[in-house]
Amino acid sequence: YRCGQKIAGFVNSRFYEDQLKLLNKNPGSLIYRDVQNKYNKEIKNSYSVEAKEIATLIKENDYHDVGIITPFVNQASTINYYLEQYGINDVKAGTVHTLQGSEKSVIILSTALSLKTGKKTMDWIKNNHELINVAVTRAKDSFIFVGDKEAIDALSKGEINDIKALSDYVKSNGEYIVPRREKTIITDFSN
C-alpha cells in the first residue's frame, strides 16, 4: 500500500521474485540526480557535491515530508551541515536505521560513492539489500537517487549488483528490467 508502482517495482523484482501484491495504484516518481563526487581525504565517505545537490533539491522543490538515507555517518553529517546552511531545519539525513519502520512522501538516497571509493567499501554497499530495500520502501510518492553514475558503473566492473541495478532502474525511470538476485527475501513481507 505504501509505495507507488514504479518505486515498489524495483524491490518486488529484485528481492521478492515479483510476489508482492502492489495495491497502491499511484505510479510513483523516480528521479535521478547524477553528480561528480570529488574524493575528500579529510573525511572518509563524505561528498559535499552530493550533499549540496540534496539541499538544493529540497529547497527548490519545497519538500518537507522527506527522508534522506545514506550508508555512511560522515555523509549524513555533511548533508545535515548543508541542510542547515540552506535554512532547511525540518529535514535530517541519517543511516538506514534512522528511517526503518517509517515512511515519507519523498525519500532521497545519497550513495556517497566516487571513483576513489575503496574495494572494501564498495563490497559492503553493493549488495547491502537491507539498506537498499529499506531505503526504497520508505518512499510513498517519490524516490530520488543521488549519486555518481560514472563511479557506480566503474566500481561495479560489469557486475549487476544491488546498487548498480537500483541506479540503472531509477536512471531509466523504471524501464530497466531488474534482474533477480540469487538470494531473495521472499519470507519477509513486512515492507
Side-chain angles (χ1 to χ4, degrees), residues 38-108:
K38 306 283 185 248
Y39 179 69
N40 180 354
K41 66 180 180 179
E42 305 296 318
I43 306 172
K44 187 177 174 184
N45 303 319
S46 171
Y47 297 95
S48 59
V49 170
E50 202 166 291
K52 286 179 193 174
E53 181 68 23
I54 290 167
T56 300
L57 187 66
I58 292 169
K59 189 82 166 174
E60 287 177 352
N61 291 284
D62 197 29
Y63 290 138
H64 294 284
D65 186 28
V66 59
I68 306 166
I69 299 174
T70 181
F72 307 107
V73 172
N74 287 343
Q75 182 67 0
S77 295
T78 302
I79 294 167
N80 287 331
Y81 169 79
Y82 283 104
L83 291 173
E84 187 177 304
Q85 296 301 304
Y86 282 63
I88 302 166
N89 300 311
D90 60 342
V91 176
K92 295 288 180 238
T95 61
V96 69
H97 307 308
T98 308
L99 285 175
Q100 194 155 10
S102 66
E103 57 186 49
K104 298 285 184 180
S105 291
V106 178
I107 290 292
I108 300 171

Side-chain angles (χ1 to χ4, degrees), residues 128-181:
N128 190 329
H129 73 270
E130 292 92 355
L131 164 77
I132 295 168
N133 188 39
V134 170
V136 173
T137 60
R138 300 307 95 192
K140 293 191 290 187
D141 302 314
S142 295
F143 178 79
I144 303 171
F145 187 106
V146 181
D148 186 328
K149 180 91 171 98
E150 179 185 6
I152 291 166
D153 291 348
L155 293 166
S156 296
K157 298 179 179 170
E159 172 191 20
I160 301 299
N161 53 58
D162 293 344
I163 198 72
K164 168 87 168 107
L166 180 59
S167 172
D168 290 347
Y169 182 78
V170 176
K171 184 75 172 170
S172 75
N173 194 28
E175 298 298 318
Y176 173 72
I177 304 299
V178 179
R180 289 193 179 125
R181 73 190 320 259

